[in-house]
Amino acid sequence: MRAAKIRAILRALGLLYPEAGTSLRYRRDRFRFLVSVVLSAQCTDAKVNRVTPVLFRAFPRPTDLAEAPTGSVERILRPLGLYRVKARNIVRIAAAARAGLDWTMEGLTRLPGVGRKTANVVLSETTGRSEGIAVDTHCGRLARRLGLTHEEDPARVEKDLAEILPRAAWGRVTHLFIAHGRAVCRARAPRCPDCRLLDLCPEGQRRRERVA
Ligand code: SF4
């Protein structure tokens, strides 16, 4: 029953958002993509995409970035918010890259500013091989409303989702949930009457009964 429900959810969202995926650039250059994902914390991908061309023009190689004066990097990152921390983190990541990065979950999460969510996004996008599921605020909210977890903590949400989702869907589910979370299942005012998942969604059913 659960497997059938999951399949139905993924099928419906796949039809709704066939293009769902990261909008960050540099997917083909994993170092630059890693930096972009780190910069995207609490910030939109669009803003990051405006800043990274400037950053990588100024510091094209990891070595250049590792040796960059922090003040110069901060000036470029200023539009992103949290720019001081982000500048420090990406310079330290670049310094680590000179000796070669360990592109595994364990290796990536040892880097400053790289948590499990970031590592999951990077590994899934650059290798096509997901070691886990990136759970952001949209993904967690959708999972709870759809009755796929009761957990609030992202690591626990990830564990619950990993138990019920086929591994092949681990990378894609994040993008689908984010797309639906932005378009329909918004945090404050989910548009349940317009939602294609309404028949599959306990939270949507509860809200429907409340207004009936
Ligand atoms: Fe979100 Fe409502 Fe759709 Fe459920 S029915 S996924 S709560 S918008």
Side-chain angles (χ1 to χ4, degrees):
M1 179 60 195
R2 260 178 132 196
K5 175 175 165 172
I6 280 289
R7 273 200 304 275
I9 289 170
L10 293 178
R11 196 165 45 241
L13 293 180
L15 288 171
L16 278 174
Y17 311 106
E19 305 295 328
T22 181
S23 45
L24 289 170
R25 292 186 195 136
Y26 304 112
R27 283 169 63 191
R28 287 173 202 284
D29 180 323
R30 61 183 179 170
F31 174 76
R32 291 187 176 192
F33 187 71
L34 168 61
V35 168
S36 302
V37 180
V38 169
L39 296 181
S40 71
Q42 297 183 44
C43 169
T44 65
D45 289 357
K47 272 191 182 175
V48 174
N49 285 338
R50 281 199 289 276
V51 159
T52 44
V54 184
L55 178 73
F56 295 130
R57 213 166 27 244
F59 310 108
R61 298 168 302 165
T63 309
D64 302 317
L65 188 55
E67 290 168 3
T70 313
S72 307
V73 181
E74 286 179 358
R75 268 193 296 284
I76 295 172
L77 302 187
R78 194 183 287 263
L80 302 183
L82 301 176
Y83 64 92
R84 287 206 169 91
V85 179
K86 289 178 180 177
R88 199 171 57 234
N89 285 342
I90 64 170
V91 167
R92 287 167 63 197
I93 291 171
R98 287 197 291 200
L101 293 178
D102 174 4
W103 293 93
T104 62
M105 174 63 70
E106 210 188 341
L108 290 176
T109 51
R110 277 199 295 266
L111 296 170
V114 180
R116 232 190 122 74
K117 183 180 74 165
T118 296
N120 271 326
V121 171
V122 170
L123 290 171
S124 162
E125 290 293 330
T126 61
T127 67
R129 173 180 46 82
S130 301
E131 286 195 29
I133 299 169
V135 175
D136 76 342
T137 176
H138 297 292
C139 191
R141 184 175 71 252
L142 263 285
R144 281 185 294 278
R145 286 179 173 172
L146 288 165
L148 306 177
T149 184
H150 297 295
E151 302 289 353
E152 291 286 338
D153 175 61
R156 291 185 176 178
V157 174
E158 180 187 350
K159 186 167 172 292
D160 284 350
L161 289 178
E163 276 171 15
I164 53 177
L165 282 163
R167 198 178 185 101
W170 284 8
R172 188 149 172 71
V173 71
T174 303
H175 297 304
L176 292 173
F177 278 11
I178 289 173
H180 199 57
R182 285 181 178 150
V184 179
C185 191
R186 295 172 187 156
R188 292 229 176 106
R191 294 165 40 208
C192 301
D194 303 326
C195 181
R196 297 272 182 86
L197 303 182
L198 181 56
D199 291 340
L200 298 162
C201 178
E203 176 64 22
Q205 303 292 333
R206 277 193 290 275
R207 286 171 184 259
R208 182 157 67 177
E209 281 161 20
R210 279 206 295 270
V211 295

